[in-house]
Amino acid sequence: MSDSRSPTGDPAQTLDIRFTGSGSEYFRIWIVNLLLTLITFTLYWPFARARRLAYFQNNTLVGRDPLGFHGDPWKMFRGYLLMLLFGVSYWAVSNFAPALAWLPLLVLAVLWPALWRASLQFRLRNTSWRGVRMAFEGDLKGAYLCMLPFLIPVLAIGLVIALVAAGAEDSAAGAMFAAATGLIVLAMSAMSPWLLARIKRYQHGGYAFAQERTQLEAGTGAFYGFSFRVGGVSLLCTVLLAGLGGIVAAMAGSLAGAAVIALPFLLALGYLVFPLVLMPYTTSRLQNLLWSNTRSRRIHFDSQLKFVPLMKLTAKNWLFIALTLGLYWPFAKVHTARMRLEAIDIAVQGDVNAWLAQAQGGDKGILGDAAGDFFGIDMGL
């Protein structure tokens, strides 16, 4: 933690983030969580998740003080049961009334913004630093407005499915479904950077701590630039794979030999190149874009996560996970968390102790927390 002076004369300090967890410690938590989750047919999952969150947050030091996690696993368990009930309902409708299979998806699409907001509220309100709870202050209206462009195509696809189900014998219905789905997918692909900007602007604009509330200052153009760069890296990987395939085919000699040798080679290489190159590039660039542009009046985040070190770490993690038949997974999680967290610095203007407010209580958003975890959506860092 370093001190300096801001241009206004107020004392400024940089709070480094350090992660003190170890792979061996987390392995013991992970293996117990895994066994109990399997034995209880996933009913232990919310308790396992609470232990995991507590471990990672208690070992995340901002300045010299760790984060705290205060989530009640029993409340998370009740939310998990509700989401499990929804999943069972969807399975039952899909199997016994296929024509109505779109109905649970429609209900989920309508409720999802509220569940997502509740997930953010639950996670932040159960996270503390120096005894002060954090908060998420994004309103319900804002959640629906930022998600609205997603809801419209979902509703459109649901309508098309209903029409196709009603005229299952009509071949024109299938053609209409394919055409409508194709147009929706193209439109969503073109709009995806704009949609990502809307969602992240709402999410990063709702984080609150003490009297501070953050905002995301990155414009929509920055997200289109990010998407174009990711697309360029993906295209480069594709071209390299095609070139290598051509070389292998040329070395094979005959066309028959090329087909036998080149195709498995390309498939195996594709499974390695895209996850080991594209995923670390996307992760590093997106983290830097979001957190380097997240700030409040007296707090400014900065992220300098490097692509090449993250790619090397990802390759190492995957290699050892394969060699140990998955047992290296908790070590990989710890190493990745350390690299991502320690790439972030927090610049604070003024005396932190002077403007820390009283902790905000209340545990809300239990169902939303389960929904966020069930569908892979969480605040993250």
Side-chain angles (χ1 to χ4, degrees), residues 196-366:
L196 180 62
R198 287 174 62 90
I199 291 173
K200 292 303 181 181
R201 196 170 291 123
Y202 171 80
Q203 181 179 350
H204 283 246
Y207 299 153
F209 179 73
Q211 301 94 348
E212 300 297 306
R213 178 172 173 173
T214 61
Q215 62 180 353
L216 182 63
E217 298 185 350
T220 304
F223 284 88
Y224 271 95
F226 159 74
S227 297
F228 286 139
R229 288 191 293 272
V230 170
V233 172
S234 178
L235 180 62
L236 179 61
C237 291
T238 303
V239 171
L240 289 176
L241 285 174
L244 288 174
I247 295 174
V248 172
M251 294 175 61
S254 65
L255 292 177
V260 170
I261 297 177
L263 185 58
F265 174 79
L266 286 177
L267 289 175
L269 200 58
Y271 273 110
L272 291 175
V273 169
F274 280 95
L276 295 182
V277 176
L278 190 60
M279 287 175 58
Y281 182 85
T282 303
T283 298
S284 61
R285 294 301 181 262
L286 184 59
Q287 174 172 311
N288 294 342
L289 171 62
L290 294 176
W291 287 104
S292 294
N293 290 283
T294 299
R295 64 194 66 189
S296 69
R297 186 167 57 93
R298 288 179 289 193
I299 300 175
H300 180 200
F301 295 87
D302 181 56
S303 176
Q304 298 296 327
L305 183 61
K306 304 298 183 183
F307 160 58
V308 174
L310 183 59
M311 181 181 66
K312 292 179 179 178
L313 178 62
T314 303
K316 172 190 170 184
N317 287 341
W318 280 42
L319 175 62
F320 281 101
I321 288 173
L323 292 176
T324 60
L325 302 178
L327 294 179
Y328 190 76
W329 177 261
F331 296 87
K333 294 287 288 185
V334 165
H335 296 327
T336 304
R338 178 176 291 111
M339 178 173 288
R340 294 190 62 182
L341 287 168
E342 294 185 354
I344 299 175
D345 292 325
I346 307 174
V348 179
Q349 301 296 329
D351 184 4
V352 175
N353 294 321
W355 51 264
L356 284 179
Q358 293 297 323
Q360 299 182 17
D363 296 334
K364 298 182 180 180
I366 300 159

Side-chain angles (χ1 to χ4, degrees), residues 15-179:
L15 304 177
D16 298 325
I17 297 180
R18 292 193 304 114
F19 184 72
T20 59
S22 70
S24 57
E25 287 179 347
Y26 181 55
F27 178 83
R28 292 192 289 271
I29 296 173
W30 173 80
I31 196 67
V32 172
N33 285 345
L34 179 62
L35 292 175
L36 290 177
T37 300
L38 293 174
I39 291 172
T40 60
F41 299 99
T42 77
L43 292 180
Y44 187 77
W45 174 251
F47 301 91
R49 182 169 183 263
R51 292 186 65 195
R52 171 170 55 86
L53 290 173
Y55 179 79
F56 277 89
Q57 291 192 185
N58 292 340
N59 283 282
T60 300
L61 274 59
V62 179
R64 295 183 179 90
D65 300 288
L67 298 177
F69 179 71
H70 311 279
D72 184 349
W74 282 104
K75 294 180 179 180
M76 297 170 69
F77 177 71
R78 291 198 295 269
Y80 179 74
L81 288 182
L82 290 175
M83 293 309 303
L84 192 61
L85 179 62
F86 174 83
V88 172
S89 300
Y90 175 74
W91 172 84
V93 172
S94 300
N95 283 273
F96 299 106
L100 298 177
W102 56 273
L103 187 58
L105 296 178
L106 178 62
V107 173
L108 178 63
V110 172
L111 293 179
W112 180 249
L115 294 174
W116 175 54
R117 172 178 175 264
S119 174
L120 294 171
Q121 286 181 316
F122 182 91
R123 181 70 181 273
L124 268 292
R125 287 177 180 176
N126 287 288
T127 298
S128 67
W129 183 64
R130 292 191 180 182
V132 176
R133 298 284 184 108
M134 301 180 187
F136 182 78
E137 297 183 353
D139 58 15
L140 185 60
K141 178 182 177 182
Y144 273 93
L145 287 177
C146 79
M147 288 283 189
L148 185 60
F150 278 108
L151 294 178
I152 293 175
V154 169
L155 294 175
I157 291 176
L159 178 61
V160 171
I161 292 175
L163 292 174
V164 172
E169 301 299 328
D170 189 1
S171 60
M176 181 180 66
F177 172 75

